């Protein structure tokens, strides 16, 4: 008792032995004196120590009257209270680890008149090897093979405060990480929010949060700001100006290309035209401002979702903004990728003529080969959009919905009771495709059969698209498996929803969109990838890359320079 009081109240401890942060990952006999006057440290954070789950607790409290000498040593300790000025509450919190009595923790705090004294004591007691005790997950966790790290209560409080300012869960996570100096500089998982699900849980029960939407007139582009961003930003790489004529009036039409060096490297590494590990989806959106936004996104093969180990997260790879959506705009985008060293590409589109023409002008496909991707590029078409087009055309010829499904399954294949039923696109080569198409045509309406062969409004007839952009050999070469999966563009379209969500519904200009995307999407992607290396956050390393994982305790022991070097080697950025 005397020793606790002399440390916590009398402050009889050399300054060099005082810690100003919570001990993390201590798994041996040790005692720490913690300075609670540190503005960033809450006494409630002392139990968030990266040591897993403590399931048994005891918290006795003693009320004593204490008199101190002038040097801070205790003169007398008496349980009988005669003077309230010298009364102290000595609080002990005993905790035993969930898996063994061989590891325990005691937290000592002293209180006077409802105020905690400056110092607290944290003591760890270990007998034998207790290393394996910390691999247990939380009882509510769906990932039973992952260790549990308690998030500091002070971090959860910051999340609530940010939520009251109408911030989105993703932005709340980003704000807290930024306040702590960025993911590379955060020592412990306890200093970060676990994932968006935790933010939802923390904010549950808070007053209704109002979203701010700018419904005013669209803003004109701030050209000076746009040029400054290109000079000083690592995301916006190019601004090109062109003259466009509308209703006889000429006006300046800027185009922009944005992608970090790391994103360009990802495209080269994962989405080349030969033996790709992923596929770039390209899509355009609007209703953001007086311009169009075209994004390139792909499922990153290095990572998987925390609760969906068979699904890769979609990441933004590049972005273009333009006043128009002409072939020249998309050719500018493809040409800039080429200038950045992307010599071949596996990419997918939803059938927009200008987009397909612009990209094939730079990344043409070999339409005469049975095996795609051996020397050039691979152009995939979205199965969902093709199915929609087919049904729409059949509906115009008064074909019933039942017959529409039948024709779609004959062309695109289908599944029944988990069994794949082959369609035209599942043919092994061009000859088999032509033969099957010849057999199917007589059963289809004449108008529909003619429509398959027309090029009106298309880069090539749909029959040729089925063969050169959707047939089995093309999809196998594109890295979609064997038998290959169908390719869909919904992931890229979903990226547009993320973009609009991060813009908070604002109508913004061509300069501001780059700031928002870089800050709230690109940088957040990087943060999540770094966290995945440590086994925390929204993502995890895919099985083929699991050797790159790093133990959180080792991470805490590394210098910022060592962390940066490790991340650069593992993921490709610092």
């Amino acid at each position: 008792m005397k020793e606790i009081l002399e440390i916590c109240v009398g402050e009889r401890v050399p300054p060099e032995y005082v810690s100003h942060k919570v001990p993390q990952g201590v798994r041996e006999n040790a005692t720490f004196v913690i300075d609670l006057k540190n503005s960033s440290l809450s006494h409630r954070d002392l139990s968030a120590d990266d040591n897993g789950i403590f399931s048994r607790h005891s918290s006795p409290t003693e009320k004593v009257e204490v008199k101190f000498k002038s040097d801070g040593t205790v003169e007398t300790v008496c349980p009988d209270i005669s003077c309230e000025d010298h009364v102290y509450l000595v609080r002990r919190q005993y905790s035993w680890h969930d898996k063994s009595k061989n590891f325990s923790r005691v937290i000592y705090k002293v209180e006077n008149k409802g105020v905690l004294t400056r110092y607290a004591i944290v003591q760890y007691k270990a007998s034998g090897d207790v290393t394996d005790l910390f691999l247990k997950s939380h009882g509510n966790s769906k990932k039973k093979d992952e260790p549990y790290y308690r998030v500091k209560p002070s971090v959860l409080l910051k999340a609530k405060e940010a939520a009251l300012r109408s911030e989105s869960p993703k932005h709340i996570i980003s704000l807290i990480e930024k306040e702590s100096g960025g993911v590379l500089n955060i020592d412990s998982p306890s200093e970060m929010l676990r994932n968006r699900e935790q933010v939802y849980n923390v904010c549950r029960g808070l007053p209704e949060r109002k979203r701010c939407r700018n419904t005013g007139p669209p803003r004109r582009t701030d050209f000076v700001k746009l040029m400054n961003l290109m000079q000083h930003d690592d995301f916006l790489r190019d601004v090109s100006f062109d003259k466009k004529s509308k209703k006889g009036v000429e006006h300046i039409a800027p185009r922009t290309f944005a992608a970090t060096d790391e994103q360009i490297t990802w495209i080269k590494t994962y989405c080349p035209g030969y033996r790709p590990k992923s596929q770039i989806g390209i899509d355009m959106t609007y209703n953001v401002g007086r311009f169009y936004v075209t994004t390139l996104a792909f499922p990153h093969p290095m990572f998987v979702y925390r609760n969906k180990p068979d699904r890769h997260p979609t990441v933004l790879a590049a972005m273009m903004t333009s006043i128009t959506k002409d072939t020249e705009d998309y050719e500018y985008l493809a040409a800039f990728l080429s200038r950045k060293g992307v010599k071949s590409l596996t990419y997918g589109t939803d059938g927009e003529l200008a987009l397909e023409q612009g990209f094939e002008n730079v990344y043409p496909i070999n339409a005469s080969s049975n095996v795609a991707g051996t020397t050039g590029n691979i152009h995939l078409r979205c199965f969902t959009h093709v199915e929609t087009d087919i049904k729409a055309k059949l509906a115009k010829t008064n074909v019933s919905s039942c017959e529409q499904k039948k024709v779609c399954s004959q062309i695109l294949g289908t599944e029944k009771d988990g069994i794949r039923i082959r369609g035209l696109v599942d043919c092994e080569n061009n000859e088999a495709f032509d033969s099957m198409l010849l057999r199917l045509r007589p059963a289809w309406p004449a108008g529909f059969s003619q429509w398959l062969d027309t090029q009106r409004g298309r880069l090539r007839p749909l029959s040729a698209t089925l063969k050169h952009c959707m047939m089995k050999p093309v999809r196998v070469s594109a890295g979609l498996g064997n038998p290959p999966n169908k390719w869909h563009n919904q992931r890229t379209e979903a990226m547009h929803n993320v973009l609009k969500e991060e813009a908070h519904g604002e109508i913004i200009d061509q300069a501001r969109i780059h700031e928002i995307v870089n800050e709230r999407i690109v940088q957040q992607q990087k943060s999540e990838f770094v966290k995945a290396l440590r086994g925390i956050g929204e993502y995890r390393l895919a099985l083929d890359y699991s050797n790159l994982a790093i133990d959180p305790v080792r991470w805490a022991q590394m210098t910022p320079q060592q962390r940066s070097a490790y991340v650069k080697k593992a993921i490709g950025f610092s």
Side-chain angles (χ1 to χ4, degrees):
M1 175 70 80
K2 283 182 62 177
E3 189 176 11
I4 296 170
L5 290 165
E6 287 179 352
I7 292 174
C8 295
V9 184
E11 301 180 8
R12 287 183 56 79
V13 58
E16 61 268 25
Y17 292 117
V18 176
S19 175
H20 299 278
K21 59 182 182 179
V22 179
Q24 302 294 337
V26 178
R27 298 165 187 182
E28 57 189 338
N29 292 310
T31 302
F32 297 85
V33 178
I34 314 296
D35 188 354
L36 298 179
K37 294 299 182 184
N38 186 342
S39 59
S40 63
L41 182 63
S42 166
H43 71 94
R44 295 182 178 86
D45 293 342
L46 296 178
S47 59
D49 58 5
D50 291 358
N51 278 329
I53 306 167
F54 291 82
S55 60
R56 291 168 293 150
H57 307 278
S58 176
S59 303
T61 300
E62 288 184 68
K63 188 174 185 180
V64 293
E65 183 178 326
V66 187
K67 291 185 179 179
F68 291 90
K69 296 179 182 179
S70 59
D71 62 356
T73 59
V74 174
E75 182 176 342
T76 61
V77 179
C78 181
D80 299 322
I81 310 303
S82 62
C83 178
E84 290 294 332
D85 289 339
H86 302 290
V87 173
Y88 295 87
L89 286 176
V90 181
R91 301 185 183 276
R92 296 179 176 89
Q93 182 181 331
Y94 296 91
S95 302
W96 289 267
H97 202 273
D98 184 73
K99 291 189 71 174
S100 174
K101 293 181 180 179
N102 292 336
F103 187 73
S104 62
R105 178 188 64 211
V106 189
I107 299 174
Y108 304 92
K109 292 180 282 190
V110 180
E111 193 177 299
N112 177 240
K113 295 181 179 179
V115 179
L116 288 171
T117 56
R118 178 172 183 175
Y119 292 147
I121 302 171
V122 180
Q123 184 179 31
Y124 293 95
K125 300 177 182 180
S127 58
D129 184 8
V130 296
T131 306
D132 292 339
L133 297 182
F134 310 97
L135 301 178
K136 184 180 176 70
S137 65
H138 191 276
N140 294 329
S141 174
K142 296 179 181 177
K143 302 283 285 184
K144 299 301 180 183
D145 58 340
E146 291 189 357
Y148 169 72
Y149 300 104
R150 183 169 180 258
V151 177
K152 291 179 178 178
S154 59
V155 173
L156 300 178
L157 181 60
K158 288 179 184 178
K160 286 185 178 181
E161 292 171 350
L164 290 172
R165 297 196 300 269
S166 299
E167 301 291 357
S168 69
K170 285 175 65 177
H171 199 204
I172 289 171
I173 293 172
S174 180
L175 281 172
I176 289 174
E177 290 171 356
K178 194 176 292 185
E179 284 180 12
S180 300
V183 174
L184 283 175
N185 295 314
I186 297 176
D187 294 335
S188 165
S190 66
E191 296 170 10
M192 294 181 285
L193 291 161
R194 207 168 291 124
N195 45 53
R196 280 178 288 177
E197 184 180 347
Q198 184 174 41
V199 180
Y200 290 129
N201 291 335
V202 166
C203 299
R204 189 175 292 142
L206 290 178
E208 186 72 22
R209 294 184 291 149
K210 295 181 180 179
R211 289 285 183 185
C212 296
R213 291 182 63 89
N214 181 355
T215 56
R219 299 178 183 177
R220 293 187 179 277
T221 302
D222 186 337
F223 294 123
V224 174
K225 185 177 181 181
L226 201 58
M227 300 307 294
N228 283 336
L229 275 176
M230 188 179 69
Q231 286 182 329
H232 304 292
D233 191 52
D234 65 348
F235 180 56
L236 179 57
R237 312 308 292 268
D238 184 68
V239 180
S240 172
F241 294 94
D242 196 7
K243 283 187 177 180
K244 297 284 184 179
S245 180
K246 187 176 181 179
K247 296 181 180 180
V249 179
E250 286 192 340
H251 59 92
I252 298 295
R255 300 189 194 105
T256 68
F257 174 86
T260 64
D261 289 338
E262 295 84 13
Q263 289 171 306
I264 296 293
T265 300
W266 292 343
I267 297 173
K268 294 183 202 175
T269 304
Y270 300 116
C271 309
Y274 181 59
R275 292 185 178 177
K277 295 181 180 178
S278 191
Q279 310 79 30
I280 281 281
I282 311 165
D283 197 36
M284 179 275 297
T285 190
Y286 47 92
N287 287 341
V288 180
R290 294 181 173 219
F291 54 91
Y292 299 98
V293 178
T294 303
T295 56
L296 281 69
F298 71 98
H300 202 306
M302 190 173 178
F303 304 95
V304 293
Y305 283 102
R306 176 177 58 94
N307 291 327
K308 297 177 181 177
D310 60 341
R311 184 173 171 83
H312 301 287
T314 301
V315 298
L316 181 70
M319 181 180 83
M320 176 187 75
T321 66
S322 58
I323 300 300
T324 55
K325 49 177 181 175
D326 299 330
T327 299
E328 298 82 34
D329 298 309
Y330 297 112
E331 189 169 343
Y332 158 82
L333 171 57
F336 205 90
L337 286 173
S338 180
R339 289 201 299 273
K340 284 296 180 180
V342 181
K343 298 307 180 185
S344 66
L345 193 63
T346 296
Y347 60 98
T349 64
D350 58 11
E352 186 179 345
L353 175 59
L355 194 160
E356 291 190 334
Q357 183 68 71
F359 262 79
E360 287 208 18
N361 286 348
V362 179
Y363 295 107
I365 62 173
N366 186 356
S368 61
S369 173
N370 267 331
V371 182
T374 53
T375 56
N377 310 290
I378 302 174
H379 179 184
L380 298 166
R381 269 294 302 273
C382 175
F383 271 68
T384 302
H385 284 83
V386 169
E387 182 178 356
T388 300
D389 292 345
I390 290 173
K391 287 182 176 180
K393 181 60 182 179
L394 289 170
K396 287 182 179 179
T397 57
N398 297 320
V399 173
S400 67
S401 59
C402 184
E403 283 298 311
Q404 291 174 28
K405 289 181 181 179
K406 180 180 177 180
V407 174
C408 282
S409 66
Q410 289 173 337
I411 296 174
L412 303 177
T414 187
E415 283 191 8
K416 186 175 182 181
D417 299 327
I419 300 173
R420 172 74 176 168
I421 299 174
R422 289 161 51 88
L424 184 63
V425 295
D426 296 307
C427 291
E428 298 285 348
N429 52 54
N430 290 349
E431 292 74 18
F433 180 94
D434 293 338
S435 176
M436 185 174 180
L437 180 59
L438 193 63
R439 292 198 311 270
L440 290 172
R441 281 186 187 274
W444 296 339
F448 173 74
S449 186
Q450 293 170 3
W451 172 79
L452 282 177
D453 296 328
T454 183
Q455 196 171 335
R456 184 178 179 183
R458 303 169 178 154
L459 180 61
R460 58 177 61 86
L462 184 56
S463 56
T465 293
L466 293 168
K467 181 188 293 185
H468 303 306
C469 302
M470 303 175 74
M471 199 166 66
K472 180 180 177 179
V474 177
R475 288 179 285 137
V476 170
S477 297
L480 290 168
N482 191 7
N485 296 314
K486 297 178 178 180
W487 186 82
H488 301 277
N489 207 27
Q490 280 93 334
R491 283 173 173 255
T492 311
E493 293 169 351
M495 182 60 68
H496 293 154
N497 294 331
V498 173
L499 190 154
K500 291 174 182 178
E501 177 187 331
E502 294 303 336
H504 286 189
E506 294 180 47
I507 301 297
I508 51 184
D509 64 25
Q510 248 173 307
R512 178 61 181 148
I513 187 66
H514 292 89
E515 293 178 316
I516 289 174
V517 171
N518 188 22
E519 178 185 345
R520 300 186 182 179
I521 297 178
V522 177
Q523 298 306 319
Q524 197 168 69
Q525 283 178 176
K526 286 186 176 184
S527 294
E528 287 297 335
F529 293 162
V530 174
K531 288 191 284 186
L533 288 177
R534 302 165 64 182
I536 54 179
E538 300 282 351
Y539 308 145
R540 296 293 181 268
L541 286 166
L543 188 61
D544 290 346
Y545 298 89
S546 58
N547 61 301
L548 298 173
I550 184 167
D551 181 73
V553 174
R554 183 187 165 200
W555 177 273
Q557 296 167 345
M558 297 168 76
T559 66
Q561 293 78 16
Q562 289 172 327
R563 292 173 185 172
S564 183
Y566 185 85
V567 170
K568 189 175 178 102
K569 181 179 179 181
I571 308 177
F573 60 79
S574 56

